[in-house]
Amino acid sequence: MDRLTCLNPLTGQQVADVPIMGTDEVRGLVASTRAAQEEWSQRSLAQRARDLQRLRRSVADRADEIAGIIRVETGKVLGEALSEVVIALDTLDFLARKAPSFLLGRRAGIGWLYQRRAGVSYDPWGVIGAITPWNYPFAIGMGVVGTSLACGNGVVLKPSEYTQLTGEIIADLVGKAIDIENLVTVATGDGSTGAALIGAGVDKIAFTGSTTTGKKIMAAAAESLTPVVLELGGKDAMIVCADADIERAARGAVWAAFYGCGQVCMSVERAYVVDSVYDDFVEAVMAEARRVRTSDEDEAMVGSLIAPFQLERVDSHVKDAQAAGARVLLGGRPITGPGHFYQPTVIVDVDHEMDVMRHETFGPVLPIMRVASEDEAIRLANDTIFGLDASVWSRDRKKARRIARELEVGTVLINDHLVNYAMAELPFGGARQSGFGRVHGLEGLREFVRPKGWVEDRLALKREPHWFVEGSGGEDLAKALIDFRHGPNLPRRLSGGLRLLRGVLR
Ligand code: NAD
């Protein structure tokens, strides 16, 4: 079997060497996880919640170890690595507390079928194939795994080729907290392993990654009609209104553009600033951005990009903008030395034809565009194939909410950005080519269950009024129902009711 090597982005040293699993190995994992899932799904909801709480406690106990692994695999600063642990813990806590009552199912209305009861049960899919990216390997991986487990599924996890150890520690944590072997297994390898997983008989694919790969996954899953949840790329916009608190907006912009070295799917990648406050905003951004320290040292605020391909992408967007007339006010270059560091970069005089405004940059770059009005900002913010998150910055709550309603995104924030992912109860996901389906919240739970309707009779009649009646095709009954339930006035409804009763008593 071919092997895959993971390198520490900060030092270039090898941190993992794993096999690249192919179709046979992945099918084997699906089979063993399916056997484990059958046992797991028999556990009561209360027992599953207790197991998830045990998992949460072991994640908390091993927080430093987990963050250390995230740091050596991704080059993040330790604080950001630990924030992944915080997000995962909150998600597990939410799942343990809220999933059991949601999973009880619900009763449903019975329409005109009066002597019935009906409802919905939320059954597990079976085995979820989780394919995850490198940028939030633990928060996303554990989020999908935890939600899948809460709903009674097993998981075959295919972590990114850059973060194999993080994938393995997720499986290890589950294995130690829940006494069922192979409930979560790890398919080690690259994109070819992910492709093998889609055709390996999983019941649903939960994919988080780029829009380009998401399209391939959907096409491949179409072959077997395997359902997919797609959490894809973004190009988040922030709109700064004339009445915004400029200091707060500027600080927020710098944080949300450079946090995680800009490698967050909902990083601020475009700022649209109304003309009258544009100069003040740019000045405030520059003051804040100059404070941001990027290095491999512990006190750095921003870490390394993941790998050389990211450095090339970020630099090419900056160079493309410069060649088309944009001005780089700060940064604009890779930092030489070990690691894949890029200077925090602020660009102005940008237009909507530039790569930096159209494609996901996924780096520490903040392009700022002057706009004549809020309407122009809304139009430009929506002028993209993406639709993950967006934010509006204004002191006028009513106006901000109006603008928020016009933004075609999965989540909109007012005077804030990025933080929504830390709210385990808030559904997260995209519009347009940022994907579909949700993680987090009750809407996220829904993705990992198969709703099954059920109907029961209550009176055990020998014959139902709508069953075959000699000499009738059922028009009388249908007309009686229309009159009884939808008739224009009381006499018609009463007449319909009487005809219906006669049909029942016949
Ligand atoms: P990617 O699409 O390159 O890879 C994601 C995963 O897909 C990896 O595990 C990879 O091995 C696998 N893969 C690659 N080709 C495949 C194929 N043909 N079939 C099956 N699996 C395949 O993404 P990435 O570079 O790891 O992550 C960065 C991207 O993820 C960015 O676009 C970012 O915006 C996005 N992202 C989105 C969210 C979200 O929730 N919307 C969250 C984090 C990251």
Side-chain angles (χ1 to χ4, degrees), residues 132-135 158 161 194-195 207-210 213 232-233 265 360 428:
T132 53
W134 46 262
N135 70 326
K158 209 306 277 174
E161 41 276 59
F207 173 75
T208 310
S210 63
T213 309
L232 308 179
C265 52
E360 192 176 36
F428 177 81

Side-chain angles (χ1 to χ4, degrees), residues 270 378-379 381-390 403-412 430-434:
R270 305 174 285 153
I378 296 167
R379 184 178 60 73
N382 283 334
D383 178 25
T384 171
I385 60 164
F386 296 106
L388 200 51
D389 290 4
I403 295 173
R405 278 195 296 277
E406 293 191 45
L407 296 170
E408 292 174 37
V409 290
T411 306
V412 69
R432 301 171 164 188
Q433 293 192 24
S434 289

Side-chain angles (χ1 to χ4, degrees), residues 191-247:
S192 67
T193 308
L197 181 59
I198 297 166
V202 292
D203 300 289
K204 187 161 186 172
I205 291 284
F207 173 75
T208 310
S210 63
T211 296
T212 308
T213 309
K215 289 179 183 176
K216 289 185 197 159
I217 293 210
M218 194 162 162
E223 281 296 308
S224 52
L225 280 182
T226 304
V228 290
V229 178
L230 298 179
E231 303 292 346
L232 308 179
K235 188 74 190 166
D236 280 14
M238 72 181 279
I239 294 177
V240 182
C241 301
D243 60 0
D245 175 339
I246 295 302
E247 205 175 315

Side-chain angles (χ1 to χ4, degrees), residues 49-179:
R50 280 196 292 278
D51 288 335
L52 284 173
Q53 288 292 16
R54 193 170 325 108
L55 176 59
R56 179 173 72 99
R57 278 193 297 279
S58 44
V59 170
D61 288 346
R62 292 171 68 182
D64 289 336
E65 181 195 354
I66 297 164
I69 291 173
I70 298 171
R71 178 158 162 80
V72 298
E73 286 199 318
T74 64
K76 289 178 184 214
V77 295
L78 204 53
E80 194 201 341
L82 279 166
S83 79
E84 288 206 44
V85 178
V86 174
I87 292 170
L89 286 169
D90 283 351
T91 304
L92 291 171
D93 183 47
F94 160 72
L95 292 166
R97 284 185 299 105
K98 297 282 174 75
S101 54
F102 167 77
L103 292 167
L104 281 177
R106 66 178 177 84
R107 292 293 284 269
I110 49 173
W112 58 271
L113 289 142
Y114 295 111
Q115 61 96 7
R116 310 292 199 291
R117 61 173 80 85
V120 186
S121 67
Y122 294 132
D123 296 355
W125 282 98
V127 177
I128 303 291
I131 303 176
T132 53
W134 46 262
N135 70 326
Y136 271 76
F138 190 75
I140 292 172
M142 188 53 102
V144 173
V145 163
T147 313
S148 303
L149 294 180
C151 295
N153 303 288
V155 184
V156 179
L157 173 64
K158 209 306 277 174
S160 162
E161 41 276 59
Y162 295 96
T163 53
Q164 298 285 315
L165 293 184
T166 310
E168 282 176 9
I169 199 170
I170 290 172
D172 184 60
L173 284 156
V174 174
K176 295 206 164 102
I178 302 174
D179 57 340

Side-chain angles (χ1 to χ4, degrees), residues 316-391:
S316 83
H317 282 197
V318 174
K319 292 224 167 70
D320 169 80
Q322 271 178 308
R327 277 187 302 136
V328 173
L329 295 188
L330 186 74
R333 285 208 172 80
I335 300 170
T336 47
H340 317 295
F341 293 97
Y342 200 85
Q343 296 173 335
T345 298
V346 177
I347 312 183
V348 294
D349 297 346
V350 288
D351 67 45
H352 246 227
E353 298 313 308
M354 296 172 180
D355 286 350
V356 79
M357 298 302 276
R358 299 213 78 82
H359 303 291
E360 192 176 36
T361 305
F362 228 48
V365 179
L366 175 59
I368 309 174
M369 186 165 177
R370 188 195 292 268
V371 290
S373 64
E374 284 147 8
D375 283 346
E376 187 186 6
I378 296 167
R379 184 178 60 73
L380 290 172
N382 283 334
D383 178 25
T384 171
I385 60 164
F386 296 106
L388 200 51
D389 290 4
S391 58

